[in-house]
Amino acid sequence: MKTFKYIILSLFCCATGLASPAQALFPDSVVYQRIEQLAKETERRYAPDKRTAIFELHVADSNARLFRIVTTEPKAGEYFNQLLAGSTISSTNVTINLLPDSSIGGNIAGIVNLSVANLRVEPSNQAELASQALLGTQVDLLQEQNGYYRIRTPEGYISWVSTSSVTPKSTPELIQWREAKKVIFIADFGHAYTMPDEQSLRVSDLVMGNILLAGQQANGFVQVRYPDGRDAYIKQDLIRPFDEWLGTVNPTAEAVLKTAKTMMGVPYLWGGTSVKGVDCSGFTKTAYYMNGIVIPRDASQQVLAGQFVDILSADTLDTQKALQNLQPADLLFFASGKNRDPNARVTHVALYLGNGEFIHSAGTVRINSMLRDAPNYEDFETRTLVAARRYIRQSDPALQPVAQHPAYTLPTEKLHE
C-alpha cells in the first residue's frame, strides 16, 4: 500500500532559506506554542487526512513572529479564526492562505499532458512518489511553488506535480476541452506518431486510460491533440471514442478481473497507478477505473468504502466463512506481518478471484491463494488478512462513476456560473 509522508509544519528560516524546527526559532515563545496548539486542534477537526485536505502552519517571518496558515478547507480557516479570537493572540500575527490561491493565476484546473505524470509529496524532484495521474486527466490546481503545482486528482488526492506535466486551462479553454470529442487509449501500451505511419517519428508513449482530443481518421489512424496543443496520430484499433466507452463500460466483477489480469507481471512501483508500474492500491484503482469507477487512492482509504464483507471469526480469518461470503472482485485488505493484530493498520490490498485465490501487486502483479494446501499459498502466510469490502453494485459517495464524475463529465454550463 502507498501512504503519504507529510510534513505537518513547514517552517522556513528567513535568513538562510533552510527548514528549521519551530522550537529552534521560538524556544520560549508562548505565542507560537498557543498558535501551534490551535492549529493542531483545527487540523484534527477539519483536515485529519492530509492526503485529501490541507491545514498547515508556516512561519511567514521569524523575526517579526508572523505566521501563515495554508488550507484547502474554508471552514477550517473560519474555525481557526474563532479559536484565535477567543485567545489572547492578536489576529495580525496570523494570515490564512486559502487554496486555490493567487499563485495559479486564475487557472483553477489543468489537464495532464504526459502519458503518466509523477505526483510527489513535496515540490521537489527528489521527493517521494505519492501517486500518478494519466494523460488527459483533469486536476484541480491549488498552488504553484518552485516549478510545481499542488493539485487535487479526481479521487481527491492532494500532491505536487511538475508544472511541465500539466497544462493549465482558463475557463474558456476548459469548456472547449470538455465539449470536444475525445478518445481513450484502451491497449496496454502504444505510441503516438507525427504522421499516420508507424515508421514516422514518435510524439510520445501511451498507456491504458490516456485521454486525448479526437480529430480525423486517416489510413487506419486517428489524428489526436494533446492538452498542450501537440498533434499526433494513433492507430485506430488502440483507442475508442470516449463517449462511446463511457456508454458501454460496465463495472461487473468479470470485467474488473479481466482488466486486472491484463496487468499480470507488471512490476511493483511505490506510488504507481499505470501499466508502467503499480503499487497494490494503484493496481486496484486502475482495474476499477478502466471499468468506469473512480475509487479512493490508498488501501487505508479503500477499506473505508463499499460494503462490509464478513470474513473473520474472533478477529481471525475464518477461511470457511471467507470462501462462503466473498465474491469475485471484492477487495481484500491485509496488515503486514504474520500473526499481527487484526486491528493493525491496513498496508496491502488485493482483488479476490474466487476459490480462495486473489490477484495483487507484490513484487509484480501476480496470483496467490489463501488456502494452505495451494501451490501459490506462500505469499499469503507473510500477511494478515484483516478485512474485505465489496464495490460491485454498491452505492457509495467514495465510489464515483466516471460518467458522473465532475472531472470528466461536468456539464459545461456549470463552468459559466
Side-chain angles (χ1 to χ4, degrees), residues 65 125 200 212 309 311-312 395 399 406:
R65 302 200 174 194
N125 289 332
S200 63
L212 302 103
V309 179
I311 59 171
L312 306 179
S395 178
L399 309 176

Side-chain angles (χ1 to χ4, degrees), residues 59-367:
V59 177
D61 187 326
S62 59
N63 294 322
R65 302 200 174 194
L66 300 179
F67 306 90
R68 179 167 57 95
I69 296 292
V70 177
T71 183
T72 55
E73 310 304 304
K75 290 185 177 180
E78 295 171 5
Y79 181 74
F80 180 81
N81 277 333
Q82 291 174 5
L83 295 179
L84 203 61
S87 71
T88 58
I89 303 169
S90 170
S91 60
T92 58
N93 287 88
V94 185
T95 58
I96 295 181
N97 182 21
L98 182 63
L99 303 181
D101 66 14
S102 60
S103 65
I104 60 172
N107 297 316
I108 62 172
I111 310 295
V112 175
N113 57 40
L114 300 180
S115 64
V116 181
N118 292 325
L119 315 184
R120 301 193 179 276
V121 300
E122 297 175 40
S124 167
N125 289 332
Q126 289 75 41
E128 175 189 338
L129 185 65
S131 189
Q132 294 178 323
L134 302 182
L135 173 65
T137 301
Q138 179 182 317
V139 296
D140 298 331
L141 302 183
L142 303 176
Q143 189 178 15
E144 184 179 357
Q145 180 179 314
N146 299 331
Y148 273 74
Y149 286 124
R150 179 177 263 176
I151 65 168
R152 181 189 288 113
T153 64
E155 64 271 16
Y157 218 66
I158 298 174
S159 52
W160 295 89
V161 64
S162 171
T163 54
S164 62
S165 301
V166 174
T167 299
K169 297 289 185 182
S170 65
T171 297
E173 290 170 335
L174 191 58
I175 291 172
Q176 186 177 19
W177 172 268
R178 288 280 184 81
E179 293 180 340
K181 292 183 179 180
K182 291 181 279 290
V183 294
I184 183 169
F185 194 79
I186 58 172
D188 290 349
F189 299 97
H191 295 93
Y193 301 91
T194 55
M195 301 293 291
D197 180 354
E198 289 183 272
Q199 302 306 311
S200 63
L201 289 175
R202 293 173 177 175
V203 175
S204 81
D205 70 316
L206 298 167
V207 300
M208 181 172 64
N210 286 172
I211 299 170
L212 302 103
L213 299 183
Q216 300 297 314
Q217 297 181 15
N219 301 325
F221 285 76
V222 174
Q223 187 177 20
V224 297
R225 177 163 291 178
Y226 287 70
D228 57 8
R230 287 174 292 164
D231 290 319
Y233 292 86
I234 304 175
K235 290 192 68 175
Q236 188 173 347
D237 58 354
L238 302 182
I239 57 178
R240 290 186 64 185
F242 185 66
D243 289 343
E244 178 185 304
W245 177 79
L246 279 180
T248 58
V249 71
N250 186 12
T252 63
E254 181 182 12
V256 170
L257 294 179
K258 181 178 179 181
T259 299
K261 289 176 181 177
T262 68
M263 290 187 277
M264 284 288 290
V266 169
Y268 180 92
L269 175 64
W270 178 272
T273 64
S274 81
V275 294
K276 291 183 178 182
V278 288
D279 60 27
C280 62
S281 53
F283 167 66
T284 54
K285 174 183 179 297
T286 300
Y288 269 91
Y289 171 74
M290 289 306 299
N291 288 281
I293 301 292
V294 176
I295 72 173
R297 171 60 182 92
D298 287 349
S300 59
Q301 298 169 313
Q302 293 176 4
V303 73
L304 304 177
Q307 179 186 5
F308 168 80
V309 179
D310 187 12
I311 59 171
L312 306 179
S313 292
D315 291 333
T316 302
L317 173 65
D318 185 326
T319 304
Q320 183 175 355
K321 182 186 287 187
L323 292 174
Q324 178 180 341
N325 292 346
L326 286 170
Q327 295 180 11
D330 285 349
L331 279 72
L332 306 178
F333 297 94
F334 301 80
S336 294
K338 188 177 180 180
N339 299 323
R340 289 273 307 270
D341 180 352
N343 293 319
R345 187 173 180 275
V346 167
T347 58
H348 190 65
V349 61
L351 287 171
Y352 187 65
L353 293 172
N355 300 318
E357 289 192 320
F358 54 93
I359 184 170
H360 61 144
S361 179
T364 64
V365 174
R366 55 196 174 98
I367 295 173

Side-chain angles (χ1 to χ4, degrees), residues 317 334 358 369-370 377-385:
L317 173 65
F334 301 80
F358 54 93
S369 175
M370 65 175 66
Y377 171 77
E378 73 282 354
D379 184 73
F380 185 78
E381 64 180 352
T382 67
R383 308 176 190 274
T384 300
L385 183 55

